[in-house]
């Protein structure tokens, strides 16, 4: 029932949406793996959650690197005995007009957002399929629908949607479901760094007139990760205050 | 887990298997549920079941395809309970039929039950919820709206839910009123033979049929206080079968 005693690996979980999800999942009885590429942030997050009495372990790994991912997943299984829930959350964006984007901008964006989700799913499914149980939850973005200046990010996130459908069809028969969340604007500390003009513009395009919260995503992730959500597979759920009803 | 405690919920067409599961679930989680259906005996039976499990529920016999009855029912509910927070439009008559066999009467009946009923309830409750600055509306759709041969009449009315959901979501977005559609896939029903279930399960990526509870807990999710940032969506509970269809848009 629920996610109690399930082992959950959340990539990029030393910050933002991933960190709040890790907190909520651990509070609800899951054993949670904090992953990030920045060692100090992993250390800090693990210390903070452990001090609150939550069951967590840390894994520094670069999700865009196969050896690093394989070692992380092995360490999780060695420590907790299984891997039941994978949340492919780590991501970043390099934005800019086509003429300004470099090859490196494309490569890093696609490698982290898309290749990373592929590598983690591949490594994780090896442990989920033998247990005939698993939940893979990919964090895409409403932006996969396309927006000016977002060539690498929209493309990578569109890839994540396609990957979700493939995983759902390939693994669904084996007790492993795959679903995708497409967040819209979610408040994280990065928001405060935006110029007021940009904040106003972004909010003007929000049907709800406000930002979402990291908890909005955390709750949706927990719904999909639940033992009882086995009939939900291959879906994209937009948590964006209705912003997905139009693109651009 | 959904947060619906002390919310007032109307479930229309509450007495089929899916409607009963939704009503039971919302009551279990602490909502006061008003179950409405056209058959008084079934309404009474469901009420008894929910109350026996210590759920708070009231019942009302309503022909959801009659706008005057819907109006009176909603007005009475608001007068008695002070508010309605959650509306689940579950009225759903399956009548997919090859087009040459769709009589005028069958077409009108499908429109009345599957679409007009949703419209009548929304027309009464959207303004109320917006004024209250809180509301969760969930309409039960069906994967078959994507279009299956021999079911054009059903696909047509269920498709209308898609646009209705989006338009109402945008109309209400600033008032903490969310409007979503939960489209169910193949749900096992009590009258199916084990062979029929097995055969149908082969066409679903997770190789099993859904249960009314699968739909009910998804409705619970959308009905929750915590789902405030999700609106205008059509979400399939179908074991992945929707991946076999293409929207081509
Ligand atoms: N915040 C939003 O409004 C929003 C909207 C839509 C989608 N998203 C998506 O949600 C996810 C989380 O976003 P966030 O806002 O919480 O971001 P965030 O920057 O706060 O957190 C992402 C974390 O991922 C880590 N990371 C980056 N590269 C990594 C790598 N190669 N290996 C391991 N970890 C790595 C970062 O160090 C960071 O701690 C991302 O996939 C993002 O694209 C966010």
């Amino acid at each position: 029932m629920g996610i109690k005693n399930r082992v959950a690996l959340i990539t990029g979980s030393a910050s933002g949406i991933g960190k709040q999800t890790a907190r909520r999942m651990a509070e609800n009885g899951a054993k949670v793996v904090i992953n990030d590429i920045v060692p100090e942030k992993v250390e800090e997050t693990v210390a903070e959650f452990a001090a609150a009495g939550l069951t967590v372990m840390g894994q520094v790994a670069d999700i865009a690197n196969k050896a690093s991912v394989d070692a992380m997943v092995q360490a999780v299984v060695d420590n907790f005995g299984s891997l039941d829930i994978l949340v492919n959350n780590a991501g970043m964006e390099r934005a800019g007009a086509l003429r300004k984007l470099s090859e490196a901008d494309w490569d890093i964006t696609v490698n982290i957002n898309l290749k990373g989700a592929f590598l983690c799913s591949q490594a994780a499914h090896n442990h989920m399929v033998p247990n005939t149980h698993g939940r893979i939850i990919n964090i895409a973005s409403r932006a996969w629908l396309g927006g000016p200046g977002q060539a690498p990010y929209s493309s990578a996130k569109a890839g994540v949607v396609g990957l979700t459908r493939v995983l759902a069809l390939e693994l669904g028969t084996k007790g492993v479901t795959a679903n995708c969340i497409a967040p819209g604007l979610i408040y994280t500390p990065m928001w405060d760094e935006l110029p007021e003009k940009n904040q106003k513009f972004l909010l003007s395009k929000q049907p709800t007139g406000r930002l979402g919260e990291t908890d909005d995503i955390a709750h949706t992730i927990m719904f999909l990760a639940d033992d009882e959500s086995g009939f939900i597979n291959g879906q994209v759920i937009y948590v964006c205050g209705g912003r997905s009803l139009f693109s651009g | 887990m959904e947060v619906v405690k002390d919310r007032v919920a109307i479930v229309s067409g509450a007495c089929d298997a899916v409607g009963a599961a939704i009503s039971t679930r919302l009551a279990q989680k602490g909502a006061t549920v008003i179950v409405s259906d056209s058959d008084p005996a079934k309404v009474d039976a469901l009420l008894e079941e929910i109350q026996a499990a210590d759920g708070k529920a009231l019942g009302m016999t309503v022909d959801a395809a009659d706008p005057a009855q819907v109006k009176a029912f909603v007005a009475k509910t608001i007068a008695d309970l002070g508010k309605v927070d959650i509306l689940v439009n579950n009225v759903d008559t399956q009548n997919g039929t090859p087009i040459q066999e769709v009589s005028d009467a069958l077409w009108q009946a499908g429109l009345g039950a599957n679409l007009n009923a949703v419209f009548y309830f929304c027309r009464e409750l959207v303004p109320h919820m917006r004024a209250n600055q809180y509301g969760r509306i969930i309409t039960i759709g069906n994967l078959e709206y994507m279009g299956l041969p021999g079911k054009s009449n059903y696909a047509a009315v269920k498709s209308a839910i898609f646009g209705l959901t989006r338009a109402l979501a945008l109309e209400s977005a600033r008032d903490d009123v969310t409007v979503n559609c939960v489209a169910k896939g193949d749900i096992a029903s009590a009258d199916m033979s084990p062979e029929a279930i097995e055969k149908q399960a082969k066409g679903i990526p997770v190789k099993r049929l859904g249960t009314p509870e699968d739909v009910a807990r998804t409705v619970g999710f959308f009905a929750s206080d915590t789902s405030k940032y999700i609106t205008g969506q059509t979400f399939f509970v179908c074991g992945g079968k929707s991946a076999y269809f293409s929207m081509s848009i």
Side-chain angles (χ1 to χ4, degrees):
Chain A
M1 280 270 282
I3 57 170
K4 206 165 156 48
N5 291 325
R6 293 294 186 186
V7 177
L9 166 58
I10 305 165
T11 66
S13 51
S15 167
I17 292 169
K19 183 172 178 182
Q20 185 65 3
T21 303
R23 185 196 318 274
R24 292 296 182 220
M25 286 187 124
E27 284 169 358
N28 281 277
K31 300 170 193 161
V32 174
V33 186
I34 306 296
N35 155 261
D36 212 282
I37 197 170
V38 186
E40 308 80 68
K41 290 207 293 190
V42 172
E43 242 170 75
E44 253 176 55
T45 305
V46 168
E48 182 187 333
F49 288 0
L54 303 171
T55 308
V56 291
M57 73 180 273
Q59 276 294 309
V60 178
D62 174 4
I63 58 152
N65 178 295
K66 180 166 163 57
S68 178
V69 167
D70 289 350
M72 165 171 72
V73 168
Q74 194 54 53
V76 171
V77 174
D78 288 346
N79 187 52
F80 280 141
S82 68
L83 175 54
D84 307 304
I85 299 164
L86 168 66
V87 184
N88 284 311
N89 166 76
M92 47 72 71
E93 173 167 21
R94 290 274 175 88
L98 274 182
R99 66 190 152 76
K100 289 195 181 158
L101 287 165
S102 68
E103 188 179 352
D105 291 332
W106 175 270
D107 285 346
I108 191 171
T109 309
V110 172
N111 281 343
I112 294 176
N113 290 288
L114 181 54
K115 184 180 168 188
F118 166 71
L119 292 175
C120 291
S121 303
Q122 197 183 39
H125 100 286
N126 287 326
H127 298 280
M128 293 174 172
V129 169
N131 288 343
T132 58
H133 181 87
R135 300 276 181 264
I136 298 176
I137 296 143
N138 295 324
I139 309 302
S141 168
R142 182 212 59 84
W144 84 272
L145 296 166
Q150 294 193 293
Y153 188 69
S154 288
S155 307
K157 292 300 196 184
V160 170
V161 174
L163 175 67
T164 304
R165 291 168 66 99
V166 172
L167 294 173
L169 292 173
E170 225 174 287
L171 305 180
T173 56
K174 303 180 170 84
V176 179
T177 61
N179 292 288
C180 182
I181 298 173
L185 271 187
I186 303 295
Y187 176 80
T188 60
M190 258 183 308
W191 172 260
D192 298 326
E193 290 161 26
L194 288 177
E196 202 185 313
K197 179 170 83 63
N198 297 23
Q199 292 183 347
K200 272 210 176 117
F201 174 73
L202 288 169
L203 280 175
S204 74
K205 291 188 146 199
Q206 271 311 116
T208 50
R210 59 177 181 75
L211 299 180
E213 297 162 11
T214 52
D215 258 343
D216 295 331
I217 309 298
H219 284 122
T220 308
I221 292 173
M222 286 202 288
F223 169 66
L224 295 171
D226 197 293
D227 281 2
E228 289 179 48
S229 285
F231 201 60
I232 298 174
N233 188 30
Q235 303 306 311
V236 181
I237 180 160
Y238 293 86
V239 184
C240 64
R243 179 65 175 80
S244 67
L245 304 197
F246 42 94
S247 63
Chain B
M1 202 65 101
E2 65 260 40
V3 182
V4 295
K5 200 166 156 31
D6 299 328
R7 296 293 177 187
V8 175
I10 286 180
V11 181
S12 76
C15 292
D16 67 8
V18 169
I22 293 167
S23 307
T24 305
R25 170 105 191 176
L26 291 174
Q28 265 171 9
K29 301 292 171 190
T32 299
V33 183
I34 301 98
V35 305
S36 77
D37 207 295
S38 53
D39 181 336
K42 285 188 185 166
V43 169
D44 286 344
L46 178 58
L47 264 189
E48 239 172 72
E49 222 175 275
I50 295 174
Q51 287 165 348
D54 290 331
K56 277 184 267 176
L58 304 165
M60 187 78 125
T61 308
V62 182
D63 175 1
D66 175 350
Q69 285 193 36
V70 173
K71 193 178 171 74
F73 166 52
V74 170
K76 180 173 164 36
T77 305
I78 294 171
D80 290 352
L81 297 169
K83 60 171 185 173
V84 176
D85 303 300
I86 298 168
L87 165 65
V88 184
N89 291 303
N90 182 59
V91 177
D92 180 30
T93 58
Q94 296 246 5
N95 60 355
T97 313
I99 194 160
Q100 63 277 13
E101 290 161 31
V102 181
S103 64
D104 289 350
L106 188 60
W107 173 257
Q108 293 298 342
L111 268 184
N114 292 325
L115 181 57
N116 290 351
V118 177
F119 167 69
Y120 298 145
F121 272 99
C122 288
R123 186 171 57 182
E124 297 309 318
L125 281 168
V126 167
H128 167 77
M129 289 175 172
R130 290 185 65 188
N132 265 357
Q133 295 284 296
Y134 188 90
R136 300 283 182 266
I137 297 177
I138 300 109
T139 303
I140 305 303
N142 195 304
L143 179 56
E144 291 181 356
Y145 94 89
M146 304 284 277
L148 288 180
K151 301 199 170 191
S152 59
N153 54 335
Y154 191 61
V157 285
K158 283 295 184 184
S159 292
I161 306 293
F162 179 78
L164 182 81
T165 298
R166 292 168 60 104
L168 289 179
L170 292 176
E171 248 171 77
S172 320
R174 284 186 183 259
D175 303 310
D176 198 5
V177 176
T178 69
V179 188
N180 293 288
C181 169
V182 172
K184 61 189 176 188
D186 301 325
I187 305 299
S189 62
D191 57 3
M192 285 174 84
S193 69
E195 297 78 45
I197 289 180
E198 202 180 312
K199 186 161 170 246
Q200 208 173 8
K202 288 202 175 103
I204 303 173
V206 297
K207 301 294 174 213
R208 73 165 175 90
L209 298 199
T211 62
E213 286 70 29
D214 287 327
V215 180
R217 53 189 301 285
T218 306
V219 170
F221 169 72
F222 282 98
S224 176
D225 278 17
T226 51
S227 292
K228 59 187 182 301
Y229 206 51
I230 308 178
T231 193
Q233 305 304 318
T234 292
F235 185 74
F236 296 103
V237 181
C238 66
K241 192 175 173 183
S242 67
Y244 295 142
F245 293 75
S246 162
M247 281 297 282
S248 316
I249 51 169

